[in-house]
Amino acid sequence: MDLNKLQDMIQNATTNEQVIGDMRKAFNKLQTAFDELSAVFQEGYQPAKKERKPRAEGAKRPGRPKKVENQG
């Protein structure tokens, strides 16, 4: 048997195992996404309210400051 062929077969098998592993990971991510999507479409689904943390003491408010009209 040709050793070069054997080495090529081993290299291809290793590459294929890596590709299959990547495909399994991608499939698991898709499966999770589909499960979450099916939960959204269930009858009576209510989205969870996002809990907001209060601003730190003395923190500035976000956004543009209010205009102050010049008197004069």
Side-chain angles (χ1 to χ4, degrees):
M1 185 168 221
D2 190 13
L3 288 178
N4 289 332
K5 275 189 174 182
L6 185 59
Q7 287 177 334
D8 287 342
M9 287 172 52
I10 292 171
Q11 181 62 35
N12 288 339
T14 303
T15 303
N16 289 341
E17 285 180 26
Q18 291 172 349
V19 169
I20 289 171
D22 291 342
M23 290 175 70
R24 283 185 179 138
K25 288 177 187 176
F27 177 78
N28 286 338
K29 288 180 182 178
L30 277 173
Q31 187 66 42
T32 302
F34 279 125
D35 290 345
E36 290 174 2
L37 189 61
S38 67
V40 168
F41 288 123
Q42 292 293 322
E43 193 75 25
Y45 170 77
Q46 291 292 323
K49 295 283 184 182
K50 183 177 178 182
E51 185 177 324
R52 299 195 180 265
K53 296 179 184 175
R55 286 193 190 97
E57 193 69 32
K60 291 186 176 181
R61 296 183 69 145
R64 186 175 179 170
K66 293 185 177 183
K67 281 188 176 180
V68 177
E69 292 186 28
N70 293 335
Q71 295 180 12

